[in-house]
Amino acid sequence: MSEKKDIRSLSKEDLREFFLEHDQKAFRGNQVYEWLWHKGAHDFDSMTNISKETRQFLEDHFVINHIEVDDMQQSSDGTIKNAIKLHDGLIVESVFIPTPTRTTACVSSQVGCSLNCTFCATARLKKMRNLNPDEIYDQVVAIDRQSRVYKGHKLNNIVFMGMGEPLLNYKNVLKSIEMITSDEGLGMSPRRITLSTVGLHKMIMKLADDEVKFNLAVSLHSAINEVRSKMMPINDKSTLEDLLHSLQYWYAKTNKVITFEYVVWKGINDKKKDIDALVAYCKKVPSKVNLIEYNAIEEDGFEQADPAAIAYYQRELERNQITVNIRHSRGKDIDAACGQLANKTTV
């Protein structure tokens, strides 16, 4: 007997055609599609406006490979880290980040990562596979439920800043965003979604050509090639010059300002030359900078820069009319902060 197909890999048109091929009404496909995406059904028995016979028929032909929140850890600041078990037993992590005014879902796009950034815990895990669109979507659904339970309102924002490089799972990430923003899915505005990348210049240009509506953030950390390459080996293949060209192309196509994510480390990128290089880089493309507090991982050799260095960054950026925000970490006590996701909940 052949393995059953995951029904969420089918489009609405596929489902309509499936029912027609089996001498049933095409509108049944519309009903099933609504249950799968808009209502978030994880089993066929919950599809209560469909007959028992039809539900059994679906059970005979398909599976719904949904995720499960295998473990939850809650931080002292209200942040929740979810260990997400996939249908094949693999684990990824997602994070619910509440503030007094909004809630944010930080979701993963891959199991592990292949890019070997030296400051990131996820990079220590080998890349095992890409997540499917429904697995990404389900993370958002789960965190939306947490937002409603813990804060009393629906989820406000989504950031693709969890495990993995989203642009190396391009098709599935964009399909998940399509469903997240569709009225047939969660109906969220793409303006509330930010995709974060290490800066794969060819894929950034593809995003622009595909006329995406969401926001773009780039994990930069240095505007000097030699410094950046030591921390982020991908910079040898996608240099700062390549990246700049793609970001200028992105802005020309989308008219959307880029966010640079930037951690300042002691003895690595905390000198005047580093600050001057960042200011010069930002002036070449409409952008803003998030200075992010560093979150240590075991024996990584990195140390948070002195407050004076961070303040100097802030002053120089502001003096040059570049918007800058200081981002303090959330969920550090449960290893849920930026760069710390490494499936520690499963150990």
Side-chain angles (χ1 to χ4, degrees):
M1 184 175 179
S2 61
E3 187 176 345
K4 295 180 186 178
K5 190 169 188 176
D6 183 357
I7 193 169
R8 286 193 293 180
S9 67
L10 303 182
S11 66
K12 186 197 292 188
E13 290 70 29
D14 292 334
L15 284 169
R16 289 174 58 87
E17 185 64 28
F18 172 80
F19 279 103
L20 285 174
E21 288 174 353
H22 289 83
D23 300 319
Q24 298 198 41
K25 301 290 186 181
F27 80 90
R28 291 293 181 206
N30 298 7
Q31 290 179 305
V32 172
Y33 194 80
E34 181 181 17
W35 276 107
L36 293 172
W37 295 104
H38 187 66
K39 296 181 179 179
H42 283 176
D43 60 78
F44 296 112
D45 281 342
S46 63
M47 300 179 180
T48 51
N49 63 343
I50 298 174
S51 69
K52 288 184 178 180
E53 292 78 12
T54 301
R55 281 181 262 162
Q56 184 59 54
F57 174 67
L58 290 169
E59 188 81 45
D60 291 341
H61 286 82
F62 300 107
V63 293
I64 305 174
N65 285 332
H66 60 86
I67 68 163
E68 294 179 7
V69 179
D70 192 55
D71 187 54
M72 283 174 50
Q73 287 181 284
Q74 189 159 5
S75 167
S76 58
D77 63 20
T79 299
I80 295 174
K81 182 170 70 169
N82 300 301
I84 301 294
K85 181 181 283 188
L86 309 176
H87 69 92
D88 55 6
L90 294 175
I91 299 287
V92 295
E93 293 179 342
S94 64
V95 185
F96 166 61
I97 308 167
T99 72
T101 57
R102 63 184 181 182
T103 56
T104 299
C106 176
V107 299
S108 295
S109 56
Q110 296 179 308
V111 185
C113 187
S114 61
L115 292 177
N116 300 317
C117 297
T118 56
F119 52 84
C120 180
T122 307
R124 299 185 177 189
L125 305 174
K126 67 176 183 179
K127 180 197 165 186
M128 287 170 262
R129 69 172 176 88
N130 290 330
L131 295 187
N132 296 325
D134 52 276
E135 293 171 325
I136 299 170
Y137 182 89
D138 280 356
Q139 292 176 68
V140 177
V141 171
I143 294 178
D144 178 60
R145 289 171 181 160
Q146 290 173 339
S147 180
R148 293 170 191 269
V149 168
Y150 291 100
K151 300 301 289 186
H153 60 79
K154 65 182 181 180
L155 181 69
N156 300 114
N157 298 289
I158 303 167
V159 293
F160 281 76
M161 297 182 183
M163 300 170 69
E165 165 54 56
L167 295 186
L168 291 179
N169 188 14
Y170 190 93
K171 182 180 177 181
N172 289 350
V173 165
L174 262 62
K175 178 62 179 178
S176 73
I177 294 174
E178 177 188 332
M179 293 310 305
I180 289 165
T181 57
S182 169
D183 289 338
E184 295 181 313
L186 297 180
M188 290 189 69
S189 168
R191 296 191 303 273
R192 296 186 174 274
I193 299 173
T194 299
L195 183 149
S196 176
T197 173
V198 297
L200 305 176
H201 65 284
K202 292 180 181 178
M203 303 309 294
I204 290 172
M205 295 177 74
K206 181 169 173 53
L207 282 177
D209 286 337
D210 285 343
E211 299 180 347
V212 301
K213 305 300 182 185
F214 50 79
N215 303 302
L216 181 67
V218 175
S219 185
L220 191 66
H221 311 305
S222 179
I224 300 172
N225 274 313
E226 295 77 11
V227 177
R228 192 169 190 259
S229 290
K230 289 179 181 178
M231 298 181 290
M232 305 174 70
I234 192 63
N235 191 70
D236 290 333
K237 296 180 180 178
S238 190
T239 67
L240 288 166
E241 292 76 20
D242 295 329
L243 176 59
L244 179 61
H245 173 70
S246 69
L247 295 177
Q248 291 170 335
Y249 186 83
W250 159 272
Y251 183 77
K253 283 272 192 174
T254 68
N255 202 36
K256 283 184 172 290
V257 172
I258 297 99
T259 298
F260 289 129
E261 297 164 319
Y262 200 101
V263 178
V264 186
W265 289 284
K266 191 171 186 177
I268 294 175
N269 61 349
D270 59 349
K271 305 294 189 296
K272 184 179 185 300
K273 67 176 183 178
D274 301 295
I275 299 171
D276 291 344
L278 177 60
V279 169
Y281 200 77
C282 290
K283 286 182 175 181
K284 294 175 182 176
V285 62
S287 54
K288 60 183 179 179
V289 176
N290 285 343
L291 294 175
I292 303 171
E293 182 181 357
Y294 178 56
N295 308 299
I297 58 178
E298 296 172 1
E299 300 175 357
D300 65 352
F302 289 87
E303 184 180 349
Q304 173 79 22
D306 293 334
I310 298 170
Y312 187 20
Y313 262 102
Q314 184 176 13
R315 286 197 305 273
E316 286 300 297
L317 289 164
E318 289 176 344
R319 189 173 68 83
N320 285 277
Q321 287 78 54
I322 299 164
T323 299
V324 56
N325 298 294
I326 306 293
R327 297 294 189 211
H328 297 290
S329 295
R330 304 291 304 278
K332 290 178 70 173
D333 55 329
I334 56 171
D335 294 319
C338 290
Q340 290 187 317
L341 299 185
N343 290 345
K344 287 190 178 181
T345 51
T346 66
V347 176

